[in-house]
Amino acid sequence: MKIYNIAVIAGDGTGPEVIREGLKVLDAASIGKFKLALTHFPFGGEHYQKTGETLPDSAIQELRKFDAIYLGAIGHPDVKPGILEKGVLLKLRFSLDQYINLRPVKLYPGVDTPLKNKGPEHIDFVVVRENTEGLYCGAGGFLKKGTADEVAIQESINSRKGVERCLRYAFEYTRTRNRQKKLTLCGKTNVLTFAFDLWERTFHEVAKEYPDVKTDYAHVDATCMWMVKNPEWFDVIVTDNMFGDIITDLGAMIQGGMGIAAGGNIHPKGVSMFEPIGGSAPKYTGQNKINPLAAICAGGMMLDILDEKEVAQKIEQAVMKVTKEKLKSLSAGQMGYTTTQVGDLVAEQVV
Ligand code: IPM
Ligand code: MN
């Protein structure tokens, strides 16, 4: 039987609770088909407070040997912002060159959206976010820091190679998704006339190789507007790191909230990492109230990338059945079930 080696970084806050349910579902779904060999890593805020270590280079080397990484949440209320984000999460994405952040925005049946008169038939698109460049590179610095003349510079790095590989992934993905076969570039060509000039030129060049894929363009501000007003216009959106970060939080809200939003940090030929995108939710830690569906969906995405497509689909179907028939709400503490019970409900459906 096929064995997949999975590195588990449950992380902080509610991370361990939701990962536990995700693993429960993966376990149930895998029976008789394949095995997951799990190795747990302790990284996150608590580990940092105990040891002063974020994510050592030796761990990166070790993580390279796995088939995938399953991540809960990184973030601790007592650790200064930036340390864990850069030291753990972004370090993982960058060192493993996970250049795609894939974030589906899909409204499941039975789930409330804040958008009036919109249902599951209107909200079903995917954001392909560039995940290793842009404003996230950490390029820049201070001049005259701490003085009245202080200047702070934060540069957006966009390489032809980086942009092109992201666009190619997005075209391929749009093709295999096989819905509207429409790829929208989200940028800001009217103001960021260097960065998005490169994106736009590369977009049209690569598009020639995909005549079956329709192309479209929207500025990032307009993208936000259309996501609220006409989300059904979108099939796949491709964008840079910063814009992708922002619009996928908006996306998470229209699909029912952070309780359901999952994402994959992908290197198509390397080690990819899957996570619920909601964060560590410290105020719900240890209460068995948080919604584990995002983590469960992230687990499903992980199987999809591992090419266990059938089982991945089974997990998504199970989640849809549970949102449709069982949960009162997706919000923590208001689901009508505990975290553990929601995990059980999905697990029952996938055996
Ligand atoms: C996300 C998060 C991260 C990001 C933070 C925690 C560094 O907001 O995964 O979207 O900005 O990418
Ligand atoms: Mn974000």
Side-chain angles (χ1 to χ4, degrees):
M1 194 180 291
K2 183 128 203 189
I3 297 178
Y4 297 104
N5 291 304
I6 307 295
V8 181
I9 308 175
D12 299 316
T14 51
E17 292 165 62
V18 296
I19 287 296
R20 190 187 58 220
E21 300 315 309
L23 290 172
K24 184 192 281 175
V25 171
L26 289 170
D27 239 20
S30 67
I31 295 173
K33 301 190 186 83
F34 54 85
K35 276 209 166 67
L36 299 181
L38 308 178
T39 307
H40 292 266
F41 290 84
F43 306 112
E46 241 150 74
H47 182 75
Y48 172 71
Q49 285 189 311
K50 266 191 249 154
T51 63
E53 169 183 87
T54 47
L55 180 72
D57 294 339
S58 58
I60 298 282
Q61 290 315 324
E62 209 179 323
L63 288 166
R64 285 184 202 284
K65 297 179 199 142
F66 286 85
D67 293 307
I69 304 170
Y70 193 34
L71 178 88
I74 300 291
H76 199 285
D78 304 331
V79 179
K80 198 175 140 221
I83 295 180
L84 300 170
E85 290 85 343
K86 283 191 171 176
V88 184
L89 186 60
L90 297 181
K91 186 166 176 180
L92 281 164
R93 290 178 183 169
F94 289 0
S95 346
L96 298 173
D97 200 23
Q98 294 161 339
Y99 63 88
I100 297 297
N101 196 326
L102 193 67
R103 297 189 163 182
V105 178
K106 183 167 175 178
L107 181 66
Y108 288 143
V111 175
D112 275 339
T113 173
L115 302 187
K116 199 172 150 193
N117 300 330
K118 299 291 177 189
E121 68 277 27
H122 302 108
I123 303 175
D124 182 3
F125 61 91
V126 176
V127 177
V128 175
R129 164 186 175 190
E130 201 291 321
N131 210 31
T132 52
E133 298 196 335
L135 282 166
Y136 277 69
C137 285
F142 296 106
L143 296 173
K144 303 178 187 170
K145 188 173 181 188
T147 74
D149 297 322
E150 176 163 356
V151 177
I153 301 171
Q154 193 96 42
E155 287 163 319
S156 174
I157 307 295
N158 298 263
S159 71
R160 167 74 197 212
K161 274 189 196 159
V163 168
E164 186 172 332
R165 66 180 180 172
C166 174
L167 290 169
R168 275 188 193 285
Y169 182 94
F171 274 103
E172 290 289 337
Y173 188 83
T174 308
R175 188 177 258 176
T176 53
R177 197 172 126 86
N178 205 15
R179 297 274 162 83
Q180 302 176 46
K181 287 222 186 167
K182 179 166 118 182
L183 178 61
T184 304
L185 172 65
C186 161
K188 191 74 187 173
T189 52
N190 52 349
V191 177
L192 305 181
T193 51
F194 309 126
F196 281 100
D197 187 82
L198 173 61
W199 274 87
E200 199 179 31
R201 265 184 292 124
T202 315
F203 184 64
H204 291 305
E205 260 177 57
V206 176
K208 288 188 196 134
E209 294 169 42
Y210 298 86
D212 53 322
V213 175
K214 291 187 275 301
T215 56
D216 198 1
Y217 172 82
H219 294 319
V220 62
D221 44 356
T223 303
C224 292
M225 187 169 81
W226 301 130
M227 276 172 70
V228 171
K229 193 163 185 294
N230 298 103
E232 65 278 7
W233 286 0
F234 296 114
D235 179 8
V236 180
I237 299 177
V238 63
T239 190
D240 82 348
N241 209 341
M242 187 78 256
F243 292 167
D245 177 49
I246 298 167
I247 68 170
T248 52
D249 265 27
L250 175 57
M253 288 305 117
I254 68 173
Q255 75 182 122
M258 286 301 181
I260 193 81
N265 301 273
I266 295 169
H267 188 305
K269 295 197 172 95
V271 185
S272 299
M273 174 169 78
F274 299 85
E275 53 174 342
I277 74 175
S280 59
K283 75 172 181 190
Y284 293 113
T285 303
Q287 297 182 20
N288 207 16
K289 280 185 181 166
I290 196 84
N291 186 343
L293 289 181
I296 292 170
C297 291
M301 288 179 80
M302 178 164 79
L303 293 188
D304 190 77
I305 289 281
L306 293 172
D307 225 22
E308 294 292 346
K309 305 232 181 273
E310 234 171 79
V311 184
Q313 264 174 25
K314 203 166 176 187
I315 292 178
E316 191 182 29
Q317 294 300 324
V319 168
M320 286 164 75
K321 202 166 153 73
V322 169
T323 58
K324 185 171 178 205
E325 295 174 8
K326 304 281 183 186
L327 301 198
K328 278 200 236 135
S329 151
L330 295 191
S331 304
Q334 294 165 39
M335 301 185 289
Y337 297 88
T338 63
T339 307
T340 324
Q341 287 172 329
V342 174
D344 290 341
L345 287 170
V346 181
E348 279 162 22
Q349 300 292 328
V350 296
V351 227

